[in-house]
Amino acid sequence: MKFSTIFFLSFICISLLSFTPMDTKHAKRTNTSIYFATDKQQLETLIRKTYEWIETKKTKVDFDVVENKKGDKYVALNTKTHNKILAELKNSNFFAQQFIDNYNKIALKIGENLKTNKIEYFVGELPPYGSDSNPWCECQDYPESYWKTLKINDLKIQNNKATFYWTWTEWKETPKYKVTAVKENGIWKIAVLDGFNYQSFTKI
């Protein structure tokens, strides 16, 4: 009886000493790593996703205008289309409020200038505001699915503000397009695009 008791206690002691929790063994066998994207990677992803959205989902026309009764001249901003685009910009989550406010300011100024005849925009002619280029890229043509190869260059970050240029790699001829982004609640968003400069866009 005593021998059985001693044997049982010895077995318990050996079992406890040799026992290793399963999680610890698993942890020894598993090499866990945590990946954090750099600010440059986050900004490059932002630019690519933004331009894909612009080309595939956003309402195509910017600063849509309406004709007069004769149908020979544009006389006002199409506020219905404009308000729709403002909602799209906001809901995309790619743009800071600074960009949306500036976009709205440009549109309202165009509408005001048309309404007061400070500028004349005849049907069939190029608009008397902005430039001959697409303001989103300062270009007149671009490669198919160009957003897939956008690269950012000359990146400078100070606090929660970043400035850089993007280019594409599909063609040798590429815009060098300036962008300013700001970090809101830990997320980078576009604050300024060079093609939407208020002063130059609305200059009479």
Side-chain angles (χ1 to χ4, degrees), residues 4-26:
S4 299
T5 303
I6 292 170
F7 177 78
F8 178 74
L9 291 173
S10 299
F11 176 77
I12 294 297
C13 289
I14 292 169
S15 297
L16 289 172
L17 289 171
S18 63
F19 174 74
T20 305
M22 188 175 290
D23 289 345
T24 305
K25 286 183 179 178
H26 181 71

Side-chain angles (χ1 to χ4, degrees), residues 63 77 79 82 103-113:
F63 314 125
L77 178 71
T79 55
H82 176 61
Y103 186 96
N104 184 49
K105 187 178 176 183
I106 291 172
L108 295 180
K109 187 63 177 178
I110 289 170
E112 177 189 327
N113 286 343

Side-chain angles (χ1 to χ4, degrees), residues 88-107:
E88 290 174 350
L89 293 172
K90 184 176 181 179
N91 293 334
S92 73
N93 209 33
F94 296 137
F95 300 94
Q97 191 62 45
Q98 179 181 344
F99 179 85
I100 297 171
D101 289 344
N102 180 70
Y103 186 96
N104 184 49
K105 187 178 176 183
I106 291 172

Side-chain angles (χ1 to χ4, degrees), residues 8-71:
F8 178 74
L9 291 173
S10 299
F11 176 77
I12 294 297
C13 289
I14 292 169
S15 297
L16 289 172
L17 289 171
S18 63
F19 174 74
T20 305
M22 188 175 290
D23 289 345
T24 305
K25 286 183 179 178
H26 181 71
K28 286 180 180 178
R29 292 196 303 267
T30 304
N31 185 14
T32 304
S33 61
I34 300 174
Y35 173 77
F36 293 99
T38 65
D39 284 318
K40 184 176 181 180
Q41 289 169 325
Q42 290 175 30
L43 288 164
E44 203 161 80
T45 298
L46 168 65
I47 287 300
R48 289 182 177 184
K49 286 185 176 180
T50 298
Y51 278 88
E52 180 179 11
W53 176 83
I54 290 167
E55 296 298 335
T56 63
K57 295 183 179 180
K58 176 188 167 291
T59 297
K60 291 299 179 185
V61 64
D62 287 294
F63 314 125
D64 189 32
V65 288
V66 294
E67 301 173 4
N68 61 9
K69 291 181 179 180
K70 290 183 179 180

Side-chain angles (χ1 to χ4, degrees), residues 73-135:
K73 192 163 109 174
Y74 297 107
V75 292
L77 178 71
N78 187 333
T79 55
K80 184 177 179 180
T81 302
H82 176 61
N83 289 333
K84 180 184 176 185
I85 293 175
L86 288 180
E88 290 174 350
L89 293 172
K90 184 176 181 179
N91 293 334
S92 73
N93 209 33
F94 296 137
F95 300 94
Q97 191 62 45
Q98 179 181 344
F99 179 85
I100 297 171
D101 289 344
N102 180 70
Y103 186 96
N104 184 49
K105 187 178 176 183
I106 291 172
L108 295 180
K109 187 63 177 178
I110 289 170
E112 177 189 327
N113 286 343
L114 288 171
K115 204 169 186 178
T116 57
N117 291 315
K118 288 183 179 179
I119 58 174
E120 288 189 309
Y121 182 7
F122 293 97
V123 174
E125 295 185 358
L126 290 173
Y129 45 81
S131 67
D132 295 343
S133 300
N134 179 345

Side-chain angles (χ1 to χ4, degrees), residues 99-201:
F99 179 85
I100 297 171
D101 289 344
N102 180 70
Y103 186 96
N104 184 49
K105 187 178 176 183
I106 291 172
L108 295 180
K109 187 63 177 178
I110 289 170
E112 177 189 327
N113 286 343
L114 288 171
K115 204 169 186 178
T116 57
N117 291 315
K118 288 183 179 179
I119 58 174
E120 288 189 309
Y121 182 7
F122 293 97
V123 174
E125 295 185 358
L126 290 173
Y129 45 81
S131 67
D132 295 343
S133 300
N134 179 345
W136 293 100
C137 61
E138 294 281 66
C139 62
Q140 294 180 326
D141 198 9
Y142 43 78
E144 185 177 352
S145 302
Y146 66 90
W147 57 83
K148 293 181 180 179
T149 63
L150 291 183
K151 299 286 185 182
I152 65 174
N153 308 284
D154 303 327
L155 174 62
K156 296 176 183 177
I157 298 177
Q158 187 173 14
N159 298 323
N160 288 324
K161 180 180 179 181
T163 58
F164 57 89
Y165 294 87
W166 65 252
T167 58
W168 59 53
T169 60
E170 286 294 295
W171 295 346
K172 288 182 180 179
E173 294 294 327
T174 176
K176 189 178 180 183
Y177 192 89
K178 188 175 181 181
V179 181
T180 300
V182 294
K183 190 174 276 190
E184 294 183 349
N185 299 318
I187 299 173
W188 286 110
K189 293 186 178 183
I190 294 168
V192 180
L193 290 177
D194 206 30
F196 290 94
N197 179 279
Y198 175 80
Q199 295 298 333
S200 60
F201 209 104

